[in-house]
Amino acid sequence: MIEQGAVAVVEPELTHRVVRERTAACHQQLDKLLSNELDLYTPAGYRAFLTLMLRARCRYGATLATAATHAKLPDTNSLLCQALREDLAVLAGDAAVQISSRVDPEFRQSGVSEAAGVLYVFEGAALGARFVLKRIQAGPFAKLQLAYLSCLAGRSASRWRAVTHYLDTAVLDKCQLVAAANDVFATLIEDARFAARGSLNGAQK
């Protein structure tokens, strides 16, 4: 709040902060699943994580492309999907082909605000890539195939700043944006739980 004489002027709340606050619970739940139940720092868990991300990026690919256009950002989703397939081809062999062919039907979100919510989730997720990459490289499985995480970790900080600038300056419906972001998180949480069961069974074989 800024006071100008006797008049109090309330600054509008930045959209990206609103989204962060209103999606925090789902975001934390997903992070907990990935770190604990999926355990992406083991070979089986890491394969499951890559499979999860390939499915998600294929499912939301068209929406991410639309949102990137609105935000005036390069659409890098196709390159990231290719990196995921390369990693899986090394880690899972022939199974990677089956994974690629079993992706869900392409998800399309027509509204600009909803597309921005999808963009927020995937661009925000990329922020933790450097931490995950360093932890894997410092652990007992340092030689895991890391093309996907390396691509994410190599992104400049300016891309995230461009995303938040777009969210804060574009004419977007905050409620629709938040709802779309939480829907994506909910889908990822459901997929992560399924993947965790699969990685546990794989580790026990």
Side-chain angles (χ1 to χ4, degrees), residues 173-191:
D173 185 305
K174 290 186 179 69
C175 291
Q176 293 178 4
L177 200 163
V178 169
N182 274 323
D183 281 348
V184 175
F185 276 124
T187 299
L188 292 174
I189 287 167
E190 182 180 354
D191 285 353

Side-chain angles (χ1 to χ4, degrees), residues 94-171:
D94 293 339
V97 178
Q98 298 173 12
I99 290 165
S100 298
S101 64
R102 287 203 304 265
V103 295
D104 296 337
E106 196 172 72
F107 174 91
R108 291 184 183 274
Q109 192 68 270
S110 58
V112 175
S113 297
E114 290 93 337
V118 175
L119 182 72
Y120 171 85
V121 173
F122 282 90
E123 292 294 335
L127 297 177
R130 289 184 183 180
F131 170 80
V132 175
L133 184 63
K134 287 181 179 179
R135 181 167 172 181
I136 290 176
Q137 291 174 330
F141 307 110
K143 293 184 179 180
L144 285 173
Q145 180 71 13
L146 298 170
Y148 175 66
L149 286 176
S150 296
C151 285
L152 288 183
R155 290 189 178 199
S156 65
S158 62
R159 184 177 176 94
W160 178 244
R161 288 196 297 269
V163 171
T164 57
H165 176 75
Y166 166 64
L167 295 177
D168 294 338
T169 58
V171 180

Side-chain angles (χ1 to χ4, degrees), residues 66-81:
T66 298
T69 298
H70 287 302
K72 296 181 172 58
L73 288 169
D75 177 22
T76 59
N77 192 57
S78 294
L79 291 174
L80 291 169
C81 285

Side-chain angles (χ1 to χ4, degrees), residues 18-38:
V18 172
V19 183
R20 182 178 62 197
E21 291 168 3
R22 297 183 186 176
T23 61
C26 286
H27 194 169
Q28 290 168 7
Q29 188 177 357
L30 178 60
D31 283 349
K32 184 177 180 180
L33 275 168
L34 294 177
S35 297
N36 299 334
E37 293 186 35
L38 189 63

